[in-house]
Amino acid sequence: KQRTTVVGGTPGSGKTVFATQFLAHGITTCDEPGVFVTFEESPADIRANMNGFGWELGRWCDERKLAFVDASPGDREELVIGEFNLAALLARILHAANEVGAKRVVLDSMAQLFDHFIADPLSLGRELFRITTALKQSGLTVLMTAERKSEYGEITRDRMEEFGGENVVIL
């Protein structure tokens, strides 16, 4: 609890399913609502994909046990170059967490965030560390998914484990 776990895996290895199961278990077994922050797929796509597992994300949203923060690019093709910070994203996550009384947060997938913000990766890493620290200080347990280039080698493509992850799971 109140730690950050990085889940790394190659494309198709089940990172989003693992992350959703973390939230589903929290909601159904531990009475711990959650927030799903998506940087890649739309919330509607995630809900549709996860229905096959029997996880009724739409119902949980209606019951205020789950909230989505949609940070997916959608049809936008903008890139951020130069100075930036993720203060607005943090505010959105904390607002969603307060709305549902969240105890768990998923950030999926961090690879998209690194691809979108092509400024200095260390600056982005510092911002992510700031976000995960703020989330943990708010009493939240954080799970971040990150892409691996191959089955062996670096833990994650963008060295996510260096930016606030106390635990690492490799799929």
Side-chain angles (χ1 to χ4, degrees), residues 111-149:
Q112 287 293 22
L113 192 60
F114 272 87
D115 291 346
H116 184 71
F117 290 98
I118 62 172
D120 176 19
L122 290 177
S123 295
L124 178 56
R126 282 191 298 274
E127 287 295 304
L128 288 176
F129 181 77
R130 190 168 66 86
I131 285 177
T132 58
T133 299
L135 295 175
K136 290 185 301 184
Q137 288 173 344
S138 296
L140 297 163
T141 303
V142 181
L143 189 146
M144 299 189 298
T145 66
E147 195 169 294
R148 297 185 78 196
K149 292 179 187 176

Side-chain angles (χ1 to χ4, degrees), residues 49-167:
N49 291 339
M50 298 306 150
N51 278 340
F53 292 99
W55 299 326
E56 300 180 66
L57 278 61
R59 180 174 61 84
W60 294 337
C61 287
D62 292 343
E63 294 172 352
R64 299 176 58 86
K65 295 178 182 177
L66 176 68
F68 276 94
V69 173
D70 187 358
S72 62
D75 294 330
R76 302 180 311 265
E77 289 295 329
E78 63 190 32
L79 298 175
V80 177
I81 301 170
E83 292 294 317
F84 70 96
N85 69 52
L86 299 177
L89 175 62
L90 177 58
R92 289 177 63 197
I93 297 169
L94 290 173
H95 176 75
N98 287 334
E99 288 289 307
V100 298
K103 298 292 181 192
R104 299 173 180 220
V105 174
V106 163
L107 306 173
D108 181 56
S109 156
M110 302 314 295
Q112 287 293 22
L113 192 60
F114 272 87
D115 291 346
H116 184 71
F117 290 98
I118 62 172
D120 176 19
L122 290 177
S123 295
L124 178 56
R126 282 191 298 274
E127 287 295 304
L128 288 176
F129 181 77
R130 190 168 66 86
I131 285 177
T132 58
T133 299
L135 295 175
K136 290 185 301 184
Q137 288 173 344
S138 296
L140 297 163
T141 303
V142 181
L143 189 146
M144 299 189 298
T145 66
E147 195 169 294
R148 297 185 78 196
K149 292 179 187 176
S150 65
E151 292 294 326
Y152 303 98
E154 299 290 334
I155 292 174
T156 62
R157 185 187 84 177
D158 297 300
R159 304 297 307 247
M160 288 303 309
E161 66 280 8
E162 296 176 358
F163 304 125
E166 288 107 356
N167 310 294

